Structure formats: C-alpha cells, structure tokens
Amino acid sequence: MNPETAYCVLLQNKLKFVLKFQFVVDMANVLFLEAPACVGLSYDDNNNCDTGDDETSLSNYLALQDFFQNKFPEYRNNSFFITGESYGGIYVPTLAVRVLKGQDTFPINLQGYAIGNGLSSYELNDDSIIFFAYYHGLFGDE
C-alpha cells in the first residue's frame, strides 16, 4: 500500500499520544487514474504517447464516465473528491471543470478537490528553483 494514501490520527491513551496509521481505503472507495498514458506504469497499445493537458483531462473525464456508468454505477451518487499531487496541480482543476460543466448531461457528485505540492504556474515554479536549491544547500553564497 502506498503511504501517500494513509492518514494519521492522534489517539489519547493514558496521558500519552499514539500516532496511528490507517489507510484511506479501509474507510472509503478510491479510484486511481494514472495519466497521461506512458507515465509511470501506464502505456498506450499503439505506443502513441503524444498528449496535452486538455486531452488528458478529457481522457480522465471519459474514464470517470465509464467507471460510473458501466463498471460501478452503484457508486455514482456517492460523494466524490478529486485529488492529485505535483503536475496534478494542472490535471485536477481541469478535470474538476469538466465534471462541473458536464453536470447537466452526466451528473457526478463532486464535493471538492485537493492538490498536494502541486504545480500551478510555470513562471512561479521556475522563479522559485534558485531559492529552493539555495535553502536546500545545493549551492552556497559564493
């Protein structure tokens, strides 16, 4: 199990606190989408890995529709949250917009989204690299 899917709870036990790890999948249903194709362990049968942000959000949206309509329709009315990290700072909001715009034709019970350590701006990201490297000791004052 990936520790990124765990959360921590502090429990009081006879005047001392204990850190307890419990996995989210013990309490909720989780659907992982790895996108775009050819990233991580995913692949494309035709070895066509060319894509863009709009195409990726559309592919993810179509995958959600297929999941809720054909695979597990019993989950369609459950509360739904979209989360991501890193480049998910681009993919999560673009997918959320598609879900919201599609409410009239394909309602999904979207309750919110969250992004961890996400890219939101190339300019801000690029401008912060020097500060990041300096404060992590990758180079000094000279």
Side-chain angles (χ1 to χ4, degrees), residues 26-84:
D26 291 340
M27 303 178 321
N29 300 299
V30 180
L31 169 65
F32 291 93
L33 294 177
E34 186 171 66
C38 304
V39 171
L41 299 175
S42 64
Y43 62 92
D44 180 89
D45 288 332
N46 300 315
N47 209 20
N48 179 8
C49 298
D50 294 334
T51 190
D53 296 341
D54 289 333
E55 183 180 352
T56 298
S57 72
L58 177 59
S59 295
N60 288 341
Y61 182 57
L62 294 174
L64 285 179
Q65 286 181 332
D66 183 60
F67 179 84
F68 286 127
Q69 186 167 5
N70 300 319
K71 306 287 191 281
F72 297 97
E74 65 271 21
Y75 296 128
R76 187 165 172 186
N77 294 323
N78 289 3
S79 295
F80 184 72
F81 296 86
I82 303 171
T83 63

Side-chain angles (χ1 to χ4, degrees), residues 99-135:
V99 169
L100 291 171
K101 286 184 175 180
Q103 288 299 315
D104 290 340
T105 57
F106 194 88
I108 295 174
N109 191 13
L110 181 63
Q111 298 296 304
Y113 69 84
I115 302 165
N117 194 27
L119 174 68
S120 59
S121 162
Y122 286 110
E123 182 179 351
L124 292 175
N125 184 66
D126 292 349
D127 288 347
S128 68
I129 289 174
I130 298 297
F131 297 107
F132 177 87
Y134 176 78
Y135 287 107

Side-chain angles (χ1 to χ4, degrees), residues 87-104:
Y87 205 79
I90 304 296
Y91 291 147
V92 168
T94 55
L95 177 57
V97 166
R98 285 194 188 273
V99 169
L100 291 171
K101 286 184 175 180
Q103 288 299 315
D104 290 340

